[in-house]
Amino acid sequence: MNSQYTIAVHCLIVLAKTPDHVWNSESLSQKVHAHPARIRKIMSSLRKNGLVETKEGLGGGYRMGCDPRACTLARIYQSISCEPLKLSWCATGCAQDPEFDRIRSVMDFAFTGAERGLEEYLDHWSIDSLIKRTEQSVTQEPETMAAGINEQMNAHIKKIGGEG
Amino acid sequence: MNSQYTIAVHCLIVLAKTPDHVWNSESLSQKVHAHPARIRKIMSSLRKNGLVETKEGLGGGYRMGCDPRACTLARIYQSISCEPLKLSWCATGCAQDPEFDRIRSVMDFAFTGAERGLEEYLDHWSIDSLIKRTEQSVTQEPETMAAGINEQMNAHIKKIGGEG
DNA sequence: TAAACTGTATCTATTATAATTACACTAATC
DNA sequence: GATTAGTGTAATTATAATAGATACAGTTTA
Ligand code: FES
Ligand code: FES
């Protein structure tokens, strides 16, 4: 998972906490420790997905573009499209091998399911819930959430037929 | 997901299909299109996790070290420890910021759950089930198989993209 | 002892990622 | 309408991650 994702989340937390303030790329970059041009690029992706509002010109900048309760880690994930589960195959020579094609199809199939499960899981976390959690200092074990998601994954397996 | 993982899976499929044969790193490397030294390194990790048997010396090499039905994508994932969901943070300056520490804790918490869910999902796929699936696709027309998978993938995409 | 292997470290090449620079375009204000 | 402060985005450079290549110590068989 590249840092674009964590920076995007960090920025959205900052924006959600200050709904009335317009941040420019310079001030945001200081807040989240990344280069202003990089902030602009990331914010631009988030704008295209309706997560932030951007405004050009004098006095312009960034502000929250959606309800923090609806701004889930899944939507951010889709906006950034970092594809951490994308399979990478060896550099050369795979194309000619028909056996390899079949292996790749099946693996891609399995990991499409994995990706979908991940997105469903991430959909349970919103910027709002993250902020609330940072405000409570006590942490609870992740078991509960993992258990809930396991049900969904089992449903998915059943639907697409993981085991034979 | 780096290619170590796909190479490991590929090798295990080869080994599982030929339980009586001992492959050396040279012959395996030709089969899966990677450098022999890399194969040795990957096989070494798999041996440490009991997935393959390795033998040094003359006539040595690699063979399957477990039941292909028990050799799940999760166990391979754990052996390779590629950590695709590991969060990466911006390079500099995060350490001093106490607010950042809390954000990182919560994000780590969320993604620990994601990782567990992923491993539980991957535990439903075994080398044996992958092989069976590749054999199904042989008996079927390859285009039908490809179309079927595409349908599944499109259904996933539709569901995911539909909210936007 | 020689041959054929794995195991592993190290160096180099390649690729992916991030930082930086640059500049066209936009909008507010004087 | 000119100036100023901002985004959007491409191009370049620097850095980090990954993969390939080489080398050689250790192991087993013959
Ligand atoms: S942490 Fe969000 S950026 Fe340093
Ligand atoms: S390695 Fe080329 S594909 Fe398994």
Side-chain angles (χ1 to χ4, degrees):
Chain A
M1 199 72 130
N2 62 27
S3 61
Q4 276 184 63
Y5 186 74
T6 48
I7 291 172
V9 173
H10 199 163
C11 288
L12 285 165
I13 288 175
V14 170
L15 298 182
K17 278 182 163 175
T18 56
D20 299 327
H21 192 256
V22 174
W23 296 75
N24 62 28
S25 61
E26 177 60 30
S27 56
L28 249 188
S29 78
Q30 283 170 15
K31 192 81 179 169
V32 308
H33 329 114
H35 196 275
R38 210 171 168 217
I39 298 294
R40 294 202 286 271
K41 205 166 133 194
I42 293 169
M43 290 299 102
S44 184
S45 303
L46 296 181
R47 182 208 53 200
K48 285 167 188 162
N49 288 270
L51 301 183
V52 302
E53 277 177 23
T54 76
K55 198 180 164 196
E56 296 179 44
L58 194 148
Y62 306 101
R63 91 182 76 174
M64 201 65 185
C66 63
D67 183 342
R69 287 170 298 184
C71 183
T72 67
L73 291 185
R75 290 184 71 189
I76 302 167
Y77 176 91
Q78 289 145 13
S79 304
I80 298 298
S81 52
C82 43
E83 301 188 318
L85 297 183
K86 186 180 172 187
L87 297 174
S88 65
W89 300 92
C90 68
T92 52
C94 301
Q96 289 92 328
D97 187 347
E99 193 181 6
F100 162 67
D101 282 343
R102 276 177 267 127
I103 291 172
R104 186 175 52 188
S105 296
V106 173
M107 285 283 284
D108 283 348
F109 182 75
F111 273 77
T112 298
E115 171 122 9
R116 186 178 167 217
L118 174 62
E119 294 189 18
E120 283 176 9
Y121 171 82
L122 293 178
D123 217 38
H124 288 82
W125 292 87
S126 67
I127 288 294
D128 184 60
S129 68
L130 290 180
I131 290 171
K132 282 187 176 139
R133 242 179 195 282
T134 60
E135 285 164 356
Q136 312 158 355
S137 56
V138 178
T139 53
Q140 156 197 355
E141 281 299 306
E143 260 86 4
T144 42
M145 188 58 93
I149 225 58
N150 189 31
E151 274 174 30
Q152 289 177 352
M153 291 213 173
N154 285 338
H156 175 68
I157 289 278
K158 203 169 271 180
K159 189 156 43 169
I160 69 175
E163 197 75 68
Chain B
M1 200 70 131
N2 63 26
S3 61
Q4 276 185 60
Y5 186 75
T6 50
I7 290 172
V9 172
H10 199 164
C11 288
L12 285 165
I13 288 175
V14 170
L15 297 183
K17 278 182 164 176
T18 56
D20 300 326
H21 192 258
V22 173
W23 296 75
N24 62 30
S25 61
E26 176 60 31
S27 56
L28 249 188
S29 78
Q30 284 171 14
K31 193 79 177 174
V32 309
H33 328 112
H35 196 276
R38 207 169 172 219
I39 298 294
R40 294 202 288 270
K41 204 166 133 193
I42 294 170
M43 289 299 102
S44 185
S45 302
L46 296 181
R47 182 208 54 200
K48 285 166 188 164
N49 288 271
L51 300 183
V52 301
E53 277 176 24
T54 76
K55 197 179 164 194
E56 297 180 43
L58 194 150
Y62 306 100
R63 91 181 76 174
M64 201 65 184
C66 63
D67 184 341
R69 287 170 299 184
C71 183
T72 66
L73 291 186
R75 292 183 70 188
I76 303 167
Y77 176 90
Q78 288 146 11
S79 304
I80 299 298
S81 54
C82 43
E83 302 188 314
L85 297 183
K86 187 181 171 186
L87 296 174
S88 64
W89 301 92
C90 67
T92 52
C94 301
Q96 290 92 329
D97 187 347
E99 192 180 7
F100 162 67
D101 281 343
R102 272 178 270 127
I103 292 173
R104 187 175 51 187
S105 295
V106 173
M107 285 284 282
D108 283 348
F109 179 76
F111 273 78
T112 298
E115 173 122 10
R116 283 188 196 171
L118 175 62
E119 293 189 20
E120 282 174 16
Y121 171 83
L122 292 178
D123 216 38
H124 289 84
W125 293 86
S126 68
I127 287 294
D128 185 60
S129 70
L130 290 179
I131 290 172
K132 281 185 178 142
R133 245 182 194 278
T134 60
E135 285 164 356
Q136 279 173 20
S137 69
V138 175
T139 53
Q140 267 179 301
E141 278 201 356
E143 284 183 31
T144 322
M145 176 70 180
I149 284 177
N150 281 340
E151 257 178 46
Q152 292 274 2
M153 289 170 86
N154 285 337
H156 297 160
I157 289 163
K158 204 176 204 175
K159 234 179 183 175
I160 287 158
E163 74 173 52

